Each structure stands twice: as C-alpha cells, then as structure tokens.
Amino acid sequence: MKAYQLVAASALASIAMAGCAGFGGRDRLVKAPPRCEETAVQVYFDAGSHELTDESRTMLAQAASETAGCAVDRVVVMGLADAEGGPNANLELSKRRAQAVTAALAAVKLPAAEFRLAAAGEAGAVTAAGTEPLRRRVDVILQMRPAP
C-alpha cells in the first residue's frame, strides 16, 4: 500500500510540474484587479515639524501607485498635532502638515481628485493618560472606486 501511495504522490507532483510549465512563464500570470476601495494612510512627523521624512514620502508614493486603475473621487487630509506648545501654534502646525502631505501627493502624481484639507491642531491630544505624541501626524483617506 505504501508503494502505491508513493507512486501516486510522484505522479501528482509530475502532473503539477508539467501543468506549471505549460503557462509560458511570468508573462502569463493572472494579475488581481486593483482594490479600488477607501484606503487610510497615516503620516507621522517629528515633534514641532511639518517636514516629511523619506519614509513618509515613500509611503505616500506607494499609496498613490495603488490607485492605478481606480477613479479617486476624494482625498481627505486631516492635520493633527500633539499638545506641546500653544493651541494657536499647534493649529498652524497641523495646517502646515496637511499642506505638506497634499503637496507630496501631487508630486507623486496622485490622480486628480477633490481634496479636502482640515486641521484639528491639538484638539483631542490630551487624554486622561496624558498627552498623545502619536497625534503628530496627518491622516489621509483616499476615497476611490473602480475606474469606468
């Protein structure tokens, strides 16, 4: 019985290998269609800064490339800040962060879309546990659908 199982397994492996060889290589692989659904990206900043890091630029470029084959209807960009500094300065900082991200998205050729920029400043940055340094960010929401 074991010999039969070994021969059967060997035959199945040969059939599988032969089947793969018949596809003609990588140029015939089936590609999945783009996932044209709402996508969120968070871009983090150093304290007190609105300058994008190289990692942030790479992440935004990747997000823009994933919109290929999609119709981007709206891009919501929300700038946030932590509670370090004064409320007016933090609101201005969160605006500059949102503008920096919007400019970076334009630079990586994000498809034309309606942009909605907002800034929350430090609102929500102070919790019962203290200040939230993870608020040093911009939230980007790409609202898209399959291209017609």
Side-chain angles (χ1 to χ4, degrees):
M1 187 65 137
K2 282 188 176 187
Y4 175 73
Q5 289 173 339
L6 182 59
V7 170
S10 177
L12 286 174
S14 296
I15 292 169
M17 296 293 279
C20 289
F23 283 114
R26 294 182 142 212
D27 58 329
R28 299 190 120 188
L29 290 177
V30 176
K31 293 183 180 178
R35 295 185 60 196
C36 301
E37 56 191 27
E38 187 170 291
T39 302
V41 178
Q42 293 183 324
V43 180
Y44 291 91
F45 293 83
D46 291 329
S49 175
H50 68 277
E51 297 294 325
L52 290 167
T53 64
D54 290 339
E55 294 83 10
S56 295
R57 289 182 193 283
T58 300
M59 185 173 55
L60 290 170
Q62 176 65 33
S65 72
E66 290 176 6
T67 65
C70 303
V72 181
D73 296 320
R74 184 175 299 119
V75 180
V76 179
V77 182
M78 171 63 80
L80 304 166
D82 60 20
E84 300 292 323
N88 291 337
N90 287 332
L91 182 58
E92 186 59 33
L93 178 60
S94 64
K95 286 179 186 177
R96 286 184 298 199
R97 287 175 175 169
Q99 291 166 344
V101 168
T102 301
L105 286 170
V108 295
K109 311 277 191 268
L110 183 75
E114 173 189 344
F115 273 77
R116 291 191 181 172
L117 276 68
E122 66 182 43
V126 179
T127 65
T131 62
E132 294 289 330
L134 293 179
R135 298 261 313 170
R136 298 176 190 147
R137 70 176 193 270
V138 168
D139 292 336
V140 179
I141 299 173
L142 301 166
Q143 297 174 343
M144 55 189 153
R145 59 184 163 76

